[in-house]
């Protein structure tokens, strides 16, 4: 069964706008990771946030984690056309594997 | 940079054939994974391996097997291909410890079973 569920399933914005994607999960976790996938390619790791962290930044990316609500959000600021991709959250519960959500498809129009 | 290489980007096979998908990583990672990706279902774990000759079932192992004879290579085998195994297959690797490290993915093999 899916551990992570992303919301929205699809998002369309103009260049320069911010994009926010949300992820909800069901069980306790060690960390939560966000990945990006360009069309027809593999996933690329973006950022990892540990269960004892509340916020993390990497360039134009900002990730928050609320373990009490079992949710995380990924914010991409000042989006560019090159940010067009699918974005996945992946949770690391106390087992030996990551569990991926179904992803958010982001379209950024020039 | 870690490089995970999958032997084929596109593959077309016939029902009943035995199919081999190969994956090689160049960073001496202990962990290797095979996923399949289908629209609306996200990534689902088929098998994974923590060491040479070790394998563990993921969420959907039925109809698949794996082989890890060398640390850098992890093969996925479709014993008798069926049309419902048409999918995008992704290989990934990560270093120890087991569950907490980011995974590095190959570009995938889009497999069609006719």
């Amino acid at each position: 069964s899916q551990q992570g569920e992303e919301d929205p399933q699809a998002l369309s914005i103009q260049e320069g706008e911010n994009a926010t994607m949300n992820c909800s999960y069901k069980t306790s976790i060690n960390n939560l990771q966000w990945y990006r996938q360009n069309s027809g390619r593999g996933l690329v790791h973006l950022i990892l946030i540990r269960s004892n962290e509340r916020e993390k930044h990497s360039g134009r990316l900002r990730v928050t984690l609320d373990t009490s609500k079992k949710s995380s959000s990924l914010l991409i600021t000042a989006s560019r056309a090159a940010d067009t991709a699918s974005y996945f959250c992946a949770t690391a519960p106390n087992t030996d594997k990551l569990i991926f959500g179904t992803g958010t498809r982001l379209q950024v129009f020039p | 940079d870690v490089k995970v290489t999958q032997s084929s980007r596109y593959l077309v096979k016939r029902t009943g054939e035995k199919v081999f998908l190969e994956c090689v990583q160049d960073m001496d990672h202990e962990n290797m994974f095979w996923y399949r990706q289908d629209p609306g279902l996200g990534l689902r774990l088929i098998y994974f391996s923590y060491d040479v000759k070790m394998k563990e079932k993921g969420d959907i192992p039925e109809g698949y097997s794996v082989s890890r004879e060398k640390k850098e290579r992890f093969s996925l085998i479709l014993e008798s291909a069926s049309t419902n195994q048409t999918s995008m297959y992704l290989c990934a690797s990560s270093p120890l410890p087991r569950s907490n490290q980011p995974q590095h993915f190959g570009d995938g093999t889009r497999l069609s079973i006719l």
Side-chain angles (χ1 to χ4, degrees), chain B residues 2 5-6 12 14 27 38 40 43 45 48 51 53 63 77 90 95 100 110:
Chain B
V2 176
T5 302
Q6 295 185 229
V12 180
R14 296 207 171 272
M27 281 301 290
D38 300 287
L43 275 72
L45 182 63
F48 57 112
D51 202 351
K53 296 192 186 296
I77 303 157
L90 292 165
N100 290 354
R110 190 165 293 282

Side-chain angles (χ1 to χ4, degrees), chain B residues 36 40 46 51 70 97 103 107-108:
Chain B
R36 65 176 282 177
I46 304 172
D51 202 351
K70 294 185 178 181
Q103 294 184 10
D107 275 340

Side-chain angles (χ1 to χ4, degrees), chain A residues 35 37 40-41 95-97, chain B residues 9 37 50 59 99 103 107:
Chain A
Y35 289 78
Q37 184 181 35
R41 306 299 295 269
T95 59
D96 298 330
K97 53 192 180 183
Chain B
R9 290 295 306 277
Q37 183 177 24
Y50 294 125
D59 298 318
S99 65
Q103 294 184 10
D107 275 340

Side-chain angles (χ1 to χ4, degrees), chain A residues 8-21 79-80 83-85 87 104-110:
Chain A
Q9 291 186 345
L11 180 61
S12 295
I13 59 174
Q14 296 291 132
E15 264 192 331
E17 293 181 341
N18 295 342
T20 300
M21 289 157 265
S79 62
R80 306 166 181 168
D83 294 328
T84 294
Y87 292 83
T104 293
R105 293 188 311 279
L106 174 65
Q107 176 81 50
V108 182
F109 292 100

Side-chain angles (χ1 to χ4, degrees), chain B residues 37-105:
Chain B
Q37 183 177 24
D38 300 287
L41 296 178
L43 275 72
R44 292 180 291 168
L45 182 63
I46 304 172
Y47 267 98
F48 57 112
S49 169
Y50 294 125
D51 202 351
V52 175
K53 296 192 186 296
M54 289 184 62
K55 61 184 179 183
E56 294 199 29
K57 293 180 179 179
D59 298 318
I60 51 164
E62 296 78 19
Y64 303 94
S65 63
V66 290
S67 171
R68 193 161 182 205
E69 296 296 319
K70 294 185 178 181
K71 190 175 185 179
E72 68 270 19
R73 185 179 297 269
F74 192 35
S75 302
L76 179 69
I77 303 157
L78 285 66
E79 297 290 344
S80 177
S82 63
T83 55
N84 63 12
Q85 292 178 310
T86 291
S87 186
M88 171 74 116
Y89 289 87
L90 292 165
C91 174
S93 72
S94 70
L96 286 173
R98 290 184 174 184
S99 65
N100 290 354
Q101 301 302 307
Q103 294 184 10
H104 302 264
F105 284 81

